[in-house]
């Protein structure tokens, strides 16, 4: 705590101490005032200005210091100054005092509270930033919420001081009026509780609910305004039209059909979207074959002197296609039709908030009317506008699956998950791979030692990884394709020329935002379609889910959002749910596999979240040793002094599977103690989860108690 804070704290503590030491509370009781009423009245008549000022200052002090007595002072205000002047004085003094208490709480405690509980307060902070005035107004209107508690708590939130002041003054007006008015009858009042009859409390409660109702009305009016220029059909043919049959669209349609809604799913290319056709499924199939080859190459490590693999890359790629074909029935027209979804193969365009025009692949077009729409149009690889790119030609994650000949020298642009997975896979088939990454390390979302471990492995497998290299242009010289890049790892930057046979561009993905009506409807979409926490666009009946909505680009997050989009689209205004992103896991399927849930150290530091780290090295694990995979680690971040998990990173064999235990634990508030107390099968990789919990426990063993236990055993030995 800095010196200024200490001084303020000391001053406040001194004042409070004086209040209690001199028993000043006795002057703030109803009985005391009733006894002094005549004297006060005489003083007010003799020196009205001085009396008003003294009352004002005393009121500000009592409320500013959060002392009990504000209610009594309000009554005195009414008794001494009458309804109008009493109301004026109390209204300003209470708002000023409240603001001082609010500022004191903010100055002394906000940073500490936000640092300590920032992660848990994130949703509250966001809500206060957006609707803080409304919440405060509601709290102020209902005098059952203690005045001083609201001041102190609000000081801990991001609400602006100005907003706090004027909303407080406005919100407290009704309550102040009631109390001041009661004060004018002070002689007849015996206790504070008598002022607020059940009937009056009920009226206040109604007043408190009023802002919420008002907000609902404002929202409805805003929505009406958005719809005003459109002609709403009198009835709808469908409950829901889903545009795009990737992970998000398929799950949305599935849920809608499961709850017996009439739903139409429109897909212009292939059902299954990216994940099935060009993403997760083919990449994991390719990685599997590459991993087999890497094991063959490592055969001496396993006691097999001479294992050899003969392969044709074209056959590997045909296997990838066979895998897609095998999974395809899960996402097929037949399956979804059987589930009760109407599937249309064609291109969709939103033409009004309730109408979607579909041009079928056969050429026919039709207009579908629907109560709600879910946009699930996904994304595509981002191709940077680099000079010479078109001349050298390039592959992306969309087209790489058409390759049947292994490139001799492959240049991979990009060090994210897709770039890394494909880099290692192609290198294992025998391509000479150079990976060029603009940032100072690959897999930048993960902690630096994770990137380092993957880079070490890549280099050990013969991959050239160039970090801090900025691609500038491509040229063809003497029939050879060349990347001109800048090595920015040192000052001044140095030009580097890298020759290659094939180029894979994997520098990120962008959402599909054009060509299906967003512009015509004025639906905001800069990087992704803008939605609120219910996944609604500016038209409350049009939703977005999956890669097109962001912020994540995973199949499982697309499916997760799909549930919210489907349920909200079908059941709003009766019931709707905020998309919950509190526990999001992911994995990058390189070797060693990198998996994560929650925050890592870099994020904890960035967001000022206090944490403790517990690490377990997989080189110690029996099963990993037996499997020849004794490398990597599990790193768990916990709340200091507690076993509550903030985040986990696993680098190692099957990290993506092992992380599931922590995903469940975090989702359901299970701590490391419970993981430690759970039986894990021996010998499995999953045992590592128990051992890391054991490491945490050891670090938190009650040393003093153990010393006594040692003495107890010594005593028992005699
Ligand atoms: C190489 C690679 C590997 C990946 N690996 C993983 C992984 O291991 N794990 C993971 O979780 N994620 C992975 N992903 C990401 C994952 O594939 C995506 O996050 C997921 O597919 C997003 O699903 P979606 O439904 O939002 O979009 P998409 O799957 O892109 O589906 C959108 C669909 O909408 C259709 N569409 C667009 N416009 C229209 C229109 N106007 N009318 C009709 N249809 C339209 C498109 O044709 C497309 O089929 C990977 C991605 C890639 C590229």
């Amino acid at each position: 705590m800095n010196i200024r804070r200490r001084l303020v704290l000391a001053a406040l503590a001194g004042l409070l101490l004086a209040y209690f030491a001199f028993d000043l509370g006795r002057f703030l009781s109803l009985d005391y005032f009733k006894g002094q009423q005549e004297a006060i009245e005489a003083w007010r008549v003799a020196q009205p200005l001085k009396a008003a000022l003294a009352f004002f200052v005393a009121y500000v002090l009592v409320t500013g210091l959060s002392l009990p007595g504000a209610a009594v002072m309000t009554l005195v205000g009414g008794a001494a100054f009458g309804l109008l002047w009493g109301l004026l004085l109390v209204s300003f003094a209470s708002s000023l005092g409240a603001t001082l208490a609010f500022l004191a709480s903010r100055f002394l405690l906000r940073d500490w509270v936000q640092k300590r509980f920032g992660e848990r307060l994130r949703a509250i902070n966001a809500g206060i930033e957006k609707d803080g005035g409304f919440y405060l107004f509601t709290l102020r209107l209902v005098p059952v919420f203690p005045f001083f508690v609201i001041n102190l708590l609000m000081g801990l939130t991001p609400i602006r001081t100005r907003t706090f002041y004027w909303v407080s003054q406005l919100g407290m007006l009704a309550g102040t009026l009631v109390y001041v008015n009661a004060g004018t009858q002070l002689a007849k009042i015996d206790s504070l509780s008598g002022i607020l009859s059940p009937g009056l409390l009920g009226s206040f409660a109604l007043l408190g609910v009023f802002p919420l109702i008002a907000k609902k009305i404002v929202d409805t009016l805003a929505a009406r305004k958005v719809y005003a220029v459109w002609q709403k059909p009198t009835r709808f043919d469908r409950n829901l039209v889903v545009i795009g049959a990737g992970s998000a669209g398929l799950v949305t349609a599935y849920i809608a059909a499961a709850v017996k809604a009439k739903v139409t799913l429109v897909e212009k290319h292939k059902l299954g979207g990216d994940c099935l056709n060009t993403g997760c499924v083919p990449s994991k199939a390719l990685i599997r074959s590459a991993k087999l080859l890497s094991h063959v190459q490592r055969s001496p490590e396993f006691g097999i002197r001479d294992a050899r693999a003969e392969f044709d890359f074209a056959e590997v790629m045909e296997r990838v296609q066979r895998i897609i074909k095998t999974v395809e029935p899960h996402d097929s027209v037949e399956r979804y039709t059987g589930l009760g979804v109407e599937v249309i193969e064609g291109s969709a365009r939103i033409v009004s908030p309730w109408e979607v025009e579909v041009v079928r692949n056969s050429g026919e077009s039709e207009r579908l009317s629907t109560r709600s729409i879910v946009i699930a149009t996904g994304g595509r690889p981002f191709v940077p506008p680099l000079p010479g790119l078109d001349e050298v030609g390039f592959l992306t994650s969309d087209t790489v699956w058409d390759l049947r000949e292994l490139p001799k020298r492959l240049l991979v642009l990009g060090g994210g998950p897709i770039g890394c997975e494909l880099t290692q896979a192609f290198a294992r088939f025998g391509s000479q791979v150079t990976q060029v990454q603009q940032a100072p390390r690959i897999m930048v979302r993960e902690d630096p030692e994770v990137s380092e471990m993957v880079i070490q492995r890549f280099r050990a497998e013969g991959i050239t990884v160039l970090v801090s290299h900025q691609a500038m242009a491509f040229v063809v010289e003497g029939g050879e394709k060349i990347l001109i890049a800048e090595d920015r790892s040192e000052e001044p930057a140095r030009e580097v020329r890298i020759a290659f046979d094939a180029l894979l561009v994997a520098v990120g993905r962008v959402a599909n935002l054009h060509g299906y009506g967003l512009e015509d409807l004025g639906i905001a979409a800069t990087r992704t379609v803008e939605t609120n926490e219910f996944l609604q666009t500016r038209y409350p009946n049009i939703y977005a889910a999956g890669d097109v909505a962001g912020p994540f680009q995973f199949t499982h997050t697309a499916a997760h959002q799909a549930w919210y989009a489907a349920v909200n689209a079908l059941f709003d205004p009766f019931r709707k749910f905020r998309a919950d992103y509190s526990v999001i896991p992911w994995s990058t399927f390189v070797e060693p596999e990198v998996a994560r849930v929650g925050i890592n150290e870099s994020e904890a530091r960035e967001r000022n979240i206090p944490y403790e780290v517990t690490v377990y090295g997989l080189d110690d694990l029996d099963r990993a040793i037996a499997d020849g995979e004794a490398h990597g680690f599990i790193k768990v971040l916990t709340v200091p002094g507690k076993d509550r998990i903030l985040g986990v990173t696993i680098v190692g064999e099957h990290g993506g599977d092992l992380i599931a235990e922590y995903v469940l634990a975090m989702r359901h508030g299970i701590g490391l103690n419970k993981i430690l107390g759970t039986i894990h099968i021996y010998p499995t990789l999953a045992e590592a989860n128990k051992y890391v919990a054991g490491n945490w426990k050891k670090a938190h063993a009650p040393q003093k108690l153990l010393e006594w236990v040692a003495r107890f055993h010594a005593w028992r030995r005699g």
Side-chain angles (χ1 to χ4, degrees):
M1 192 181 268
N2 66 27
I3 186 79
R4 280 170 56 210
R5 281 207 179 102
R6 275 183 205 186
L7 284 175
V8 173
L9 194 62
L12 287 176
L15 285 169
L16 286 174
L17 215 68
Y19 172 82
F20 289 108
F22 298 112
D23 190 20
L24 298 178
R26 72 198 135 96
F27 300 118
L28 292 174
S29 72
L30 202 55
D31 286 342
Y32 175 80
F33 274 114
K34 278 170 117 178
Q36 299 295 317
Q37 200 171 0
E38 273 178 27
I40 294 173
E41 179 60 17
W43 188 42
R44 188 195 62 81
V45 171
Q47 303 196 332
L49 261 180
K50 251 192 198 164
L53 194 67
F55 173 77
F56 190 87
V57 171
Y59 200 112
V60 171
L61 270 177
V62 166
T63 47
L65 288 170
S66 303
L67 297 174
V72 172
M73 293 277 293
T74 309
L75 292 175
V76 173
F81 301 98
L83 185 60
L84 183 65
W85 283 105
L87 181 64
L88 258 178
L89 285 169
V90 172
S91 174
F92 280 96
S94 59
S95 307
L96 196 62
T99 309
L100 288 178
F102 162 91
L103 287 173
S105 149
R106 171 162 291 185
F107 183 65
L108 293 172
L109 295 171
R110 188 175 64 170
D111 287 354
W112 179 81
V113 168
Q114 290 291 344
K115 206 169 152 190
R116 184 108 176 74
F117 305 103
E119 196 50 24
R120 276 193 259 180
L121 293 177
R122 213 135 57 106
I124 296 177
N125 286 343
I128 292 280
E129 258 166 37
K130 198 162 163 261
D131 285 323
F134 252 113
Y135 295 146
L136 177 61
F137 193 59
T138 309
L139 293 173
R140 287 300 194 205
L141 267 181
V142 190
V144 287
F145 298 110
F147 168 79
F148 77 98
V149 175
I150 299 173
N151 302 337
L152 300 181
L153 285 183
M154 276 290 167
L156 308 177
T157 72
I159 194 168
R160 285 163 51 183
T161 310
R162 213 178 331 147
T163 311
F164 177 83
Y165 178 86
W166 75 257
V167 173
S168 294
Q169 181 140 26
L170 207 67
M172 291 190 296
L173 216 52
T176 308
L177 182 68
V178 171
Y179 271 80
V180 173
N181 186 44
T184 59
Q185 310 293 313
L186 191 64
K188 292 181 219 151
I189 296 172
D190 296 323
S191 75
L192 283 177
S193 55
I195 301 164
L196 289 181
S197 63
L200 202 55
L201 266 178
S203 314
F204 276 127
L206 266 183
L207 273 176
V209 179
F210 173 74
L212 299 178
I213 298 169
K215 185 171 183 329
K216 198 92 201 142
I217 293 169
V218 169
D219 285 352
T220 312
L221 287 178
R224 278 226 179 132
K225 208 167 138 208
V226 177
Y227 290 118
V229 294
W230 303 98
Q231 182 71 38
K232 188 174 181 180
T234 45
R235 61 175 303 279
F236 306 101
D237 300 334
R238 293 157 178 81
N239 299 94
L240 186 62
V241 169
V242 183
I243 306 177
S247 314
L250 286 167
V251 177
T252 306
Y254 180 102
I255 292 165
V259 295
K260 305 295 174 202
K262 190 161 184 221
V263 52
T264 300
L265 176 65
V266 190
E267 170 55 53
K268 71 172 178 186
H269 187 44
K270 287 181 179 172
L271 264 75
D274 267 340
C275 185
L276 173 64
N277 300 295
T278 54
C280 335
V281 174
S283 62
K284 268 75 250 178
L286 188 75
I287 286 168
R288 185 67 190 93
S289 300
K291 187 168 184 173
L292 177 65
L293 269 185
S294 85
H295 282 170
V296 171
Q297 278 151 16
R298 288 173 53 198
S299 67
E301 271 182 48
F302 298 95
I304 296 160
R305 197 182 315 139
D306 188 21
R308 262 176 255 180
E310 238 178 65
F311 75 97
D312 180 347
F313 182 69
E315 284 172 27
V316 172
M317 293 306 261
E318 286 308 326
R319 172 185 178 267
V320 169
Q321 292 307 317
R322 281 202 305 280
I323 300 290
I324 294 174
K325 286 269 165 293
T326 311
V327 179
E328 218 170 53
H330 301 168
D331 299 348
S332 63
V333 176
E334 294 71 30
R335 176 169 180 236
Y336 274 78
T337 308
L339 289 168
V341 177
E342 179 194 24
V343 182
I344 299 181
E345 292 180 274
S347 191
R349 184 183 178 82
I350 307 172
V351 289
S352 91
W354 306 277
E355 287 164 309
V356 175
E357 201 160 81
V358 176
V359 181
R360 289 181 185 255
N361 290 348
S362 57
E364 304 149 47
S365 68
E366 64 186 293
R367 197 171 268 224
L368 318 175
S369 70
T370 173
R371 182 168 269 285
S372 299
I373 298 168
V374 172
I375 300 166
T377 48
R380 63 182 187 284
F382 171 65
V383 178
L386 286 169
L389 192 59
D390 288 331
E391 283 87 286
V392 293
F394 61 91
L395 300 160
T396 65
S397 60
D398 276 357
T399 54
V400 71
W401 313 109
D402 300 333
L403 275 185
R404 289 299 176 268
E405 209 174 303
L406 185 71
K408 198 164 170 312
R409 292 170 302 174
L410 177 68
L411 180 75
V412 177
L413 219 55
I418 296 174
C420 286
E421 287 183 4
L422 293 174
T423 286
Q424 191 177 43
F426 273 87
R428 286 177 163 188
F429 289 116
S431 280
Q432 250 174 273
V433 184
T434 304
Q435 187 181 20
V436 173
Q437 159 76 329
Q438 177 186 340
R441 56 192 180 89
I442 57 171
M443 295 175 61
V444 287
R445 285 185 76 175
E446 308 304 337
D447 278 340
E449 76 268 27
V450 176
S451 308
E452 193 48 40
M453 211 157 183
V454 176
I455 286 193
Q456 293 302 336
R457 179 68 175 252
F458 276 19
R459 289 188 175 144
E461 293 190 12
I463 298 163
T464 306
V465 185
L466 302 175
V467 293
S468 300
H469 276 60
Q470 176 76 49
M472 304 302 290
F474 293 92
V475 289
V476 182
E477 283 177 0
E480 189 154 71
K481 298 169 180 176
I482 292 170
L483 162 71
I484 302 173
E486 262 184 21
D487 174 359
R488 294 181 174 174
S489 55
E490 279 170 33
E491 283 286 338
R494 192 171 56 89
E495 188 182 288
V496 181
R497 297 167 81 85
I498 304 155
F500 61 89
D501 300 309
L503 165 67
L504 173 69
V505 176
V507 291
R509 294 176 59 75
V510 287
N512 289 325
L513 303 173
H514 303 291
Y516 58 91
L518 297 187
E519 304 89 340
D520 305 337
L521 271 85
I523 293 177
T526 37
R527 287 167 68 91
T528 50
V529 171
E530 281 176 28
T531 61
N532 62 12
E533 60 267 59
F534 301 102
L535 299 177
Q536 288 169 307
T537 63
R538 70 190 284 250
Y539 297 91
N541 72 320
I542 303 183
Y543 295 74
D547 281 10
V548 76
F552 306 99
Q553 292 180 328
F554 304 113
T555 288
H556 45 277
T557 46
H560 179 69
Q561 287 181 325
W563 184 89
Y564 292 97
V567 171
N568 291 346
L570 293 172
F571 297 108
D572 182 46
F574 305 108
R575 187 81 170 95
K576 63 180 171 179
F577 299 85
R578 283 188 176 80
D580 174 4
Y581 300 128
S582 53
V583 182
I584 302 284
W586 64 82
S587 183
T588 303
F589 297 89
V590 285
E591 224 183 317
E593 212 159 281
V594 176
R596 176 128 80 88
V597 59
I599 53 169
N600 62 8
E601 279 197 84
S602 314
E603 289 168 355
R605 271 190 230 114
E606 241 169 62
R607 281 152 54 182
N608 270 331
I609 299 171
Y611 65 94
E612 270 177 20
V613 179
T614 309
V615 178
Y616 174 75
L618 293 170
D619 53 349
D620 180 64
L621 186 69
D622 291 3
R623 182 55 188 267
I625 296 168
D627 282 355
E629 301 295 350
H631 50 79
F633 58 82
I634 300 184
K635 178 159 73 167
V636 181
L637 269 64
T638 42
V639 173
K642 300 203 171 124
D643 73 338
R644 194 165 74 80
I645 304 166
L646 293 170
V648 180
T649 300
I650 303 183
V651 183
E653 184 74 351
H654 294 303
D657 294 304
L658 295 183
I659 201 112
E661 189 164 357
Y662 300 103
V663 180
L664 185 77
M666 287 183 72
R667 187 78 182 87
H668 298 286
I670 295 168
L672 289 180
N673 274 317
K674 290 216 166 109
I675 291 182
L676 184 62
T678 304
I679 299 174
H680 290 66
I681 296 172
Y682 179 84
T684 54
L685 295 176
E687 269 191 305
N689 293 341
K690 189 179 166 98
Y691 291 141
V692 75
N695 282 357
W696 176 86
K697 191 77 182 173
K698 257 182 256 161
H700 291 83
Q703 296 304 338
K704 277 270 164 283
L705 181 68
L706 286 176
E707 280 168 26
W708 281 103
V709 176
R711 277 182 207 145
F712 165 76
H713 289 309
W715 169 73
R716 296 253 293 178
R717 286 196 299 272

